[in-house]
Amino acid sequence: MGAVSRILVTGAGGFIGRATVAEARARGLGVVAVVRRAAPSDWAEDAGIEVVTADLSDPASVNALAGGLRGCGAVIHAAAHLGGDPAAIEADTLRGTRHLLDALPEGMRLVLVSSIAIYDPMRRAPGETLDERARLSAEGQAQDPYSGAKLAQEALCRASGHPLWLMRPGAVWGPGRTWHALSGFWVGPCHVLLDSDGELPLVHVTSVARALVSAALRDPEGTVALNVIDDDRPTRRRFARAHRRAAGWP
């Protein structure tokens, strides 16, 4: 495959998707941005962004995607359901992925936005480094429905035979989204930190976008999995204190 000058991004209107579109345009790449609903208004001023409106859970999206893929050299698949609703997971994450795969031309490079949540948390010793060699959760034994969906999504993409980057971001944060479940849990008005001196696998959304676009521009020569986290990974205690000083208590 030659040099990539145009990419398709699913879930382009989402948190990671919008940052990915911005990163691709900053590098001079043309973008086919697949959104379910209305596109961000500022995209209308950028001739390098072509918007395709499609619900990936609908079989009709296959034709829409096939049309948008013309001239593209790679796909970044960021569309997925972020919650735990089984029906939404089946429709938005799994069925949507199947429809995308049905639309992809043979040999098309695919970059999947997965998650480090797919690793088995019960098979790691305290202080052990979690890298791409760590054991994944077994089928049906993921820590939550979202993680299980990401495992299934990875399996679908592996089975497709496309050149594949499995990108596994940590806890993604950025403007408008600085708090997340890995920080702890709520009991009424109180927030309980879990393992307050434990390291948070944070990654800024712009770092994720850079990694995704960089992957789209490079042949994985098969299937390659990469964890995506930032160099500065604070403890939960440090993160809570910084958040309280800078952004107010969530």
Side-chain angles (χ1 to χ4, degrees):
M1 182 181 290
V4 174
S5 61
R6 181 177 168 91
I7 64 173
L8 182 142
V9 180
T10 71
F15 186 57
I16 291 176
R18 288 192 64 170
T20 301
V21 171
E23 175 66 19
R25 292 299 297 132
R27 298 197 195 190
L29 299 173
V31 176
V32 178
V34 181
V35 297
R36 176 180 285 182
R37 301 180 182 86
S41 58
D42 57 317
W43 287 359
E45 303 173 3
D46 189 340
I49 301 176
E50 175 188 342
V51 176
V52 172
T53 303
D55 181 349
L56 297 190
S57 68
D58 186 340
S61 66
V62 175
N63 288 334
L65 289 167
L69 282 163
R70 294 190 186 97
C72 291
V75 172
I76 296 175
H77 185 30
H81 178 67
L82 298 180
D85 179 70
I89 285 173
E90 172 58 35
D92 298 339
T93 302
L94 304 182
R95 197 185 311 149
T97 298
R98 294 187 190 100
H99 290 156
L100 172 65
L101 294 173
D102 287 343
L104 290 187
E106 184 177 356
M108 174 68 72
R109 188 178 304 161
L110 178 59
V111 181
L112 175 66
V113 181
S114 185
S115 172
I116 63 166
I118 67 173
Y119 293 107
D120 188 343
M122 304 306 294
R123 293 178 179 266
R124 294 199 301 272
E128 179 184 352
T129 298
L130 189 154
D131 60 20
E132 293 82 359
R133 296 168 296 180
R135 187 187 297 269
L136 304 182
S137 294
E139 183 178 354
Q141 297 181 9
Q143 54 189 309
D144 54 43
Y146 173 79
S147 305
K150 284 298 178 183
L151 280 166
Q153 197 180 32
E154 283 201 5
L156 286 170
C157 292
R158 285 180 185 273
S160 72
H162 287 276
L164 177 63
W165 290 98
L166 298 172
M167 308 298 280
R168 298 167 178 166
V172 184
W173 70 286
R177 185 181 295 185
T178 58
W179 203 255
H180 49 79
L182 289 178
S183 301
F185 62 93
W186 291 95
V187 179
C190 299
H191 190 80
V192 179
L193 293 178
L194 297 173
D195 184 15
S196 59
D197 293 321
E199 181 179 278
L200 277 173
L202 291 181
V203 58
H204 197 273
V205 67
T206 57
S207 298
V208 176
R210 292 189 191 108
L212 296 176
V213 176
S214 295
L217 298 178
R218 182 174 179 178
D219 185 0
E221 298 181 356
T223 297
V224 175
L226 288 178
N227 296 339
V228 185
I229 54 176
D230 280 334
D231 293 333
D232 184 9
R233 297 180 298 278
T235 64
R236 288 171 175 81
R237 188 191 310 275
R238 177 182 157 209
F239 180 74
R241 288 174 176 169
H243 195 282
R244 182 165 51 198
R245 289 195 304 267
W249 198 246

